[in-house]
Amino acid sequence: MGVLLFALRATASTLLGVAFFVALLLGVLFDMVHKDLLNDEFYVRQLAANDIYQRIHTDILPAVNVTPLYYGGLQVSEEEAQQMSREVFPPEFVRAETEGVIRNFLPWLKGQTDDLRVVIDLTPVRDDGRWVAVRFVKAKLDTIPPCPTGEVIDWTRASQGALPPCIPGGADGAAARQRYMAALTAAIDQAVLKAPPLIDLVAVGAMESGLSREDFLDRIRRVRTAVAIGNALGGQFTIGALVTLALLMGAVHLPRLRGSAMWVGATVALSGGVILAATLVARAVLPPRVEAFILIQPELYPKAVQLVTDVSRSAFYELAADMARPAAIAFAVGVLLLGVSFLLPRRVGVPSAERLRLRALRRYLRGPRRGSPE
């Protein structure tokens, strides 16, 4: 009977221990998701820590030629296009729009608001872009050499954003420059008016996914529903499950109080220790592998690759730290409970009448102790 009871207790404790480990792992993951991945400050912090906005301005924008979009296909060199892009999109604008998208999307995803507005407002930079283009055209016209005698300028090219190869010399030069400047300015104004005032990121995501806007929104809404369910069943449910499993595991070994505490302490310590060790190993192993994967993507601009790897590395380190913290707390609590268990009595409870009679019989059979009165 004793062997069977021991086997039943060991089996029940093992099953409850596995369930406790799974519940603790889910709790650690939920805490990480809720604390970091669904927290807008987490993303803002990673971008700021890696100086992303200045690096976009310095390294990424030079690879983006905005002149066809904003300046009617104005003919410029690569270096001139880079300079114009930097002037049109300063780091402050990139930062404000990026953080605005983050702070609007995540509260909607968590169900804190029903207004999904993830757009980039280009209105502030459209006027700036116009003046950048006009200033560029004026400076270029001042450097164009005079035309040879008899050469005729094709004025229709001005409406297409093309600079003339030469300007008439002499008294006609100033008038020709003004006329060409007016034609180019009109072309720039038309291009700026046609430029979109907003970039709808939902529409961009739908286009990249090959879906309609509504189908793409349905996918996002399903994610939102899953997040809502996770929030409802997460934190308090996980804590309740862990406490319930620990109490059941302890109850399996009653009335052996010491054994009960030892099983619970060992399970908590082992579960926390395994998750802590796995997190530390992942923190050391995964970032280099993720970086190696990003580096082999041929479609990515080299400096964009470096930017993405820097952000992913710092984000993963913070995620790993936030996962390791509750795991380390569980490990410490388990070790403490395991140590306290050695100070507890082996059994708990009031002796039964049969047990009292057996004790009295044993004392009688042993006889009186030495030195005690007869």
Side-chain angles (χ1 to χ4, degrees):
M1 183 67 181
V3 175
L4 179 61
L5 184 60
F6 175 80
L8 289 174
R9 282 175 172 171
T11 302
S13 297
T14 302
L15 294 176
L16 290 171
V18 172
F20 185 91
F21 172 78
V22 173
L24 180 61
L25 178 60
L26 292 176
V28 169
L29 291 174
F30 173 82
D31 182 70
M32 181 265 292
V33 170
H34 185 75
K35 184 178 179 180
D36 294 327
L37 298 183
L38 293 178
N39 182 5
D40 51 0
E41 291 299 329
F42 171 76
Y43 299 96
V44 171
R45 189 164 57 247
Q46 302 308 318
L47 295 175
N50 289 278
D51 198 22
I52 294 301
Y53 308 109
Q54 185 60 47
R55 291 171 65 181
I56 290 176
H57 183 259
T58 304
D59 300 333
I60 306 302
L61 281 180
V64 181
N65 185 359
V66 298
T67 52
L69 179 64
Y70 282 95
Y71 312 133
L74 193 64
Q75 295 179 357
V76 297
S77 67
E78 182 178 350
E79 183 179 350
E80 290 165 342
Q82 293 175 1
Q83 181 59 35
M84 293 170 72
S85 298
R86 289 194 187 99
E87 291 188 48
V88 174
F89 299 105
E92 296 77 16
F93 169 79
V94 178
R95 181 188 188 108
E97 293 303 314
T98 302
E99 293 185 359
V101 168
I102 293 172
R103 297 187 192 281
N104 286 330
F105 177 70
L106 286 175
W108 175 86
L109 188 63
K110 292 186 288 186
Q112 297 174 353
T113 177
D114 292 327
D115 182 22
L116 177 59
R117 181 177 172 80
V118 282
V119 298
I120 298 177
D121 185 5
L122 297 176
T123 305
V125 300
R126 289 207 304 177
D127 289 339
D128 293 340
R130 178 188 182 278
W131 287 112
V132 168
V134 169
R135 188 171 66 246
F136 165 80
V137 167
K138 186 176 185 306
K140 292 290 286 186
L141 283 174
D142 290 340
T143 63
I144 293 176
C147 294
T149 304
E151 185 168 341
V152 179
I153 297 178
D154 183 5
W155 295 100
T156 60
R157 297 184 61 197
S159 62
Q160 301 171 357
L163 291 168
C166 62
I167 293 290
D172 296 334
R177 290 177 191 278
Q178 290 181 1
R179 181 180 175 184
Y180 220 100
M181 185 68 198
L184 285 171
T185 302
I188 292 170
D189 289 341
Q190 288 297 319
V192 169
L193 288 174
K194 293 178 182 178
L198 299 172
I199 296 179
D200 184 356
L201 296 183
V202 173
V204 173
M207 182 177 63
E208 292 291 332
S209 304
L211 302 172
S212 67
R213 179 184 172 86
E214 285 304 315
D215 289 341
F216 187 74
L217 279 174
D218 285 340
R219 287 192 177 185
I220 302 177
R221 292 190 186 105
R222 285 198 289 269
V223 175
R224 188 188 190 208
T225 302
V227 170
I229 295 173
N231 284 335
L233 300 179
Q236 295 181 353
F237 177 82
T238 304
I239 293 174
L242 289 172
V243 172
T244 301
L245 290 169
L247 291 175
L248 287 175
M249 196 182 311
V252 166
H253 293 272
L254 290 176
R256 297 182 177 183
L257 185 60
R258 181 181 297 178
S260 175
M262 287 180 67
W263 267 99
V264 175
T267 300
V268 175
L270 184 61
S271 299
V274 169
I275 296 174
L276 177 61
T279 301
L280 295 178
V281 171
R283 186 181 186 274
V285 172
L286 287 184
R289 295 191 176 184
V290 172
E291 291 174 18
F293 173 77
I294 295 174
L295 287 172
I296 64 174
Q297 303 305 309
E299 67 275 10
L300 294 179
Y301 181 59
K303 291 188 177 179
V305 169
Q306 187 59 51
L307 186 148
V308 171
T309 54
D310 289 346
V311 173
S312 61
R313 186 191 307 113
S314 66
F316 187 83
Y317 284 163
E318 185 167 341
L319 291 174
D322 287 338
M323 285 186 65
R325 193 173 297 112
I329 292 173
F331 176 74
V333 170
V335 171
L336 179 62
L337 185 57
L338 195 60
V340 170
S341 67
F342 290 98
L343 305 178
L344 298 176
R346 289 183 178 274
R347 292 179 176 271
V348 64
V350 179
S352 62
E354 182 65 25
R355 192 175 298 164
L356 290 174
R357 284 195 295 270
L358 289 173
R359 288 181 181 178
L361 180 60
R362 291 193 192 100
R363 291 194 192 99
Y364 174 76
L365 295 174
R366 285 198 299 263
R369 296 180 180 177
R370 289 184 181 180
S372 61
E374 292 292 336

